[in-house]
Amino acid sequence: MTPVAASAIYIAVNILLLWFLSFRVIGRRRAAQVSLGTGGDSELEIRTRAHGNAAEYIPITMLGLYVLASLGAPMWMVNAVGGVFTLGRVLHAIGLSATIMPARLVGMVLTWTGMLGAAAGLLYVTHT
């Protein structure tokens, strides 16, 4: 497997996570009969934030991961960034959706670590 192919797997998993979180929002919107906003529904608010938070962090980091792999980063770097970030996103989604603060906290730390890893990796591969 090439680094680009490995990055594609992480990108696919993160797309599926976004899809799943979106599906949960749609399901709750239908149940609560709310077409715009959250209508004061606390469960819809939680689901909307879980999806929104993922949508804020996933695209730019996955772009960074793909560029990192495309520039010839070693496989260990692609897997470190992709694995840490993806685990963080999954833990954060679980923690936020089920109000499990330790999972949410660890998820954000791993998310930020993956983001910083992508940025550092990009700077490294462009200067070596």
Side-chain angles (χ1 to χ4, degrees):
M1 177 178 299
T2 67
V4 171
S7 74
I9 292 171
Y10 293 112
I11 293 166
V13 170
N14 280 275
I15 289 170
L16 290 172
L17 177 60
L18 275 168
W19 176 86
F20 175 75
L21 293 171
S22 175
F23 187 76
R24 292 186 71 233
V25 170
I26 292 166
R28 185 61 194 167
R29 280 193 187 287
R30 287 186 178 176
Q33 298 182 359
V34 175
S35 65
L36 186 62
T38 61
D41 185 278
S42 61
E43 182 62 26
L44 181 55
E45 178 72 28
I46 290 168
R47 291 181 184 195
T48 300
R49 274 313 310 143
H51 177 262
N53 187 276
E56 292 162 5
Y57 285 94
I58 289 173
I60 192 64
T61 306
M62 291 298 98
L63 175 62
L65 181 65
Y66 177 76
V67 172
L68 187 65
S70 297
L71 290 173
M75 184 67 93
W76 70 263
M77 190 180 292
V78 171
N79 283 321
V81 169
V84 167
F85 180 83
T86 301
L87 178 59
R89 289 289 75 210
V90 169
L91 286 174
H92 187 268
I94 291 168
L96 184 54
S97 297
T99 60
I100 303 169
M101 288 307 290
R104 186 176 176 189
L105 174 65
V106 171
M108 277 314 304
V109 169
L110 292 175
T111 294
W112 291 333
T113 301
M115 291 178 77
L116 288 173
L122 287 165
L123 292 172
Y124 174 79
V125 298
T126 58
H127 287 88
T128 56

